[in-house]
Amino acid sequence: MLLLRRALIFRSDPTTASVEVEKPHHPPKTQIRVRTNAAVKFMSNSINTESNRERKLSLSLKSASSCSSGNTEFSSASPPDVIIVGAGVAGSALAHTLGKDGRHVHVIERDFTEPDRIIGELLQPGGYLKLIELGLEDCVEQIDAQRVLGYALFKDGKNTMLSYPLKKFHADVAGRSFHNGRFIQKMREKAAELPNVRMEQGNVTSLLEENGTVKGVQYRTKDGQEHKAYAPLTIVCDGCFSNLRRSLCQPKIPPELYSAFISAINKGDIRTMPNRSMPAYPLPTPGALLMGDALNMRHPLTGGGVTVALSDIVTLRDLLRLLHNLNDAALLCKYLESFYILRKPMASTINTLAGALYKVFSASPDQSRKQLRQACFDYLSLGGTFSDGPMALLSGLNPRPLSLVLHFFAVAVYGVGRLLFPIPSFKRIGIAARVIWCASGIIFPIIKAEGVRQMFFAATLPAYYRAPLNR
């Protein structure tokens, strides 16, 4: 028996959908949630009204924050090594990871209540492997998480099943689908259990800089009091609504619109929505780092956000282990530059695939786009290498951008072959040429946004920045 885990139906083309399926021993109760944006998501969730996890977390947080009553240091002998802004998936996992490595971590989060939203509810198999590497695999236990074994594609009355290529892995390795809030609360619990991790509720209002180096943050506690916290490294991972992003990355608002935009903000006459796709344009800043959705988002079609965040944490952990002292701002900055490059293979592969698939499966009156969409469906339906390769990329098991590009153009060539076989005509030749042009118009702008150098040459550049310490 196959269980429908997640379905994405394109509003512009209701005949095309992408869903996740699994073979459960006992089908769970199903809850359907509908969203009014570009996609309709069907999620299965067991309803659980117990709040044990939230009570347990609040007890941990009480011992970590109330006793200090706003004090910004652990003690006079051990000030924080790292300040983390935000305790979502990225922030909580990072706090636990750095805390286990012996760092003193100060986490500042706006709201510790369990989030209730339909976002970040899928962990790809590659992300689950990263979770194991971080020692956080038990965070998907006892939260009604469901194993995800692959996808099903439905188009024009036809369907094809796409399984993750998991034969080489342990039987427990698979995707996981869960309630995002429960997963976050489990991560927060794990972080709060460490004695050198302090969790505090507060709203960070600004970064504290001195001679171009970020020294800490200014924040406001629940009772409205203003405080300052200092650390050699500040990591901003407070989500897509981050008010600190503009200090650490290059914004894409055209200069001609600045005055009108600021005027609208001052009048309170502006509305915001979450970004569905946002390439990373970080500015290497001494003493500060962007992570999670605050740094980088991709289209939610493939559900790769949590996987990218966990992969980023593993990359950062491995880099910081080489630095025993974080107070050397110049050397730390070079390692942070290395992080932004080393994260690219995994992040760019998942980002590019999500954006490309969305554009391919979005309905269009253009004949070449229709042919490319049909070619993609048929290519994946061939099975074997033709489905295992793309699924390994999508799941984070094979983070290789070059492999992604080769498969994408293999789909385009396959579509051309369908048009020209058995007897080509001038009309079909013209459409075939437009298919190649269409494919190029989809993939190359995404690659340009991600960064060609960082995507395809990420393994060699960071060696230069690590050289001083290695010597």
Side-chain angles (χ1 to χ4, degrees), residues 1-5 20-24 27-28 30 44 146:
M1 176 179 179
L2 292 175
L3 174 65
L4 175 68
R5 288 296 308 139
E20 302 158 15
V21 297
E22 65 163 316
K23 296 181 179 179
T30 300
S44 70
Q146 305 296 316

Side-chain angles (χ1 to χ4, degrees), residues 194-359:
L194 299 177
N196 52 328
V197 175
R198 175 188 174 193
M199 312 281 280
E200 182 178 10
Q201 185 163 339
N203 184 28
V204 175
T205 55
S206 63
L207 299 175
L208 301 176
E209 293 190 33
E210 182 179 318
N211 298 324
T213 298
V214 174
K215 297 293 186 179
V217 298
Q218 181 167 331
Y219 65 102
R220 185 182 301 109
T221 55
K222 287 181 64 177
D223 56 6
Q225 296 185 17
E226 293 285 344
H227 296 278
K228 295 179 180 180
Y230 297 92
L233 176 60
T234 299
I235 301 178
V236 177
C237 40
D238 54 348
C240 62
F241 291 114
S242 174
N243 63 339
L244 306 176
R245 180 188 298 117
R246 62 180 177 271
S247 302
L248 302 173
C249 68
Q250 297 175 347
K252 297 298 181 182
I253 302 169
E256 293 81 3
L257 299 181
Y258 284 178
S259 58
F261 182 74
I262 297 300
S263 175
I265 292 178
N266 292 334
K267 294 178 181 178
D269 199 17
I270 187 171
R271 297 181 180 181
T272 62
M273 290 294 290
N275 287 293
R276 298 304 178 194
S277 179
M278 183 178 67
Y281 296 106
L283 288 173
T285 305
L289 183 74
L290 277 173
M291 286 193 72
D293 284 350
L295 167 65
N296 178 207
M297 295 182 70
R298 75 286 312 146
H299 195 277
L301 172 62
T302 59
V306 178
T307 299
V308 171
L310 294 175
S311 176
D312 285 354
I313 291 171
V314 171
T315 301
L316 182 63
R317 178 201 64 183
D318 294 343
L319 279 171
L320 293 185
R321 279 178 173 174
L322 301 173
L323 286 173
H324 300 293
N325 182 8
L326 300 181
N327 288 289
D328 188 338
L331 183 59
L332 175 60
C333 187
K334 292 183 178 181
Y335 275 76
L336 299 185
E337 290 177 17
S338 298
F339 164 77
Y340 286 130
I341 298 172
L342 285 171
R343 70 178 294 273
K344 275 296 184 177
M346 174 70 83
S348 295
T349 298
I350 293 180
N351 293 352
T352 304
L353 185 59
L357 285 179
Y358 172 71
K359 291 187 176 181

Side-chain angles (χ1 to χ4, degrees), residues 28-42:
K29 296 179 182 179
T30 300
Q31 178 185 17
I32 297 177
R33 296 184 179 186
V34 178
R35 298 189 64 164
T36 58
N37 56 7
V40 179
K41 295 185 178 181
F42 293 88

Side-chain angles (χ1 to χ4, degrees), residues 361-401:
F361 282 106
S362 294
S364 170
D366 182 55
Q367 187 64 29
S368 61
R369 183 71 68 87
K370 291 181 180 179
Q371 291 294 331
L372 187 59
R373 185 162 59 249
Q374 186 63 49
C376 185
F377 183 88
D378 292 343
Y379 182 89
L380 294 173
S381 301
L382 294 175
T385 303
F386 304 102
S387 63
D388 287 350
M391 289 299 288
L393 294 165
L394 181 149
S395 61
L397 297 173
N398 180 29
R400 297 179 181 176

Side-chain angles (χ1 to χ4, degrees), residues 104-125:
H104 289 272
V105 182
H106 184 185
V107 181
I108 306 174
E109 162 61 33
R110 285 188 296 261
D111 186 0
F112 280 108
T113 59
E114 182 176 298
D116 184 17
R117 53 183 183 169
I118 305 177
I119 186 173
E121 70 280 353
L122 175 65
L123 180 65
Q124 297 285 2

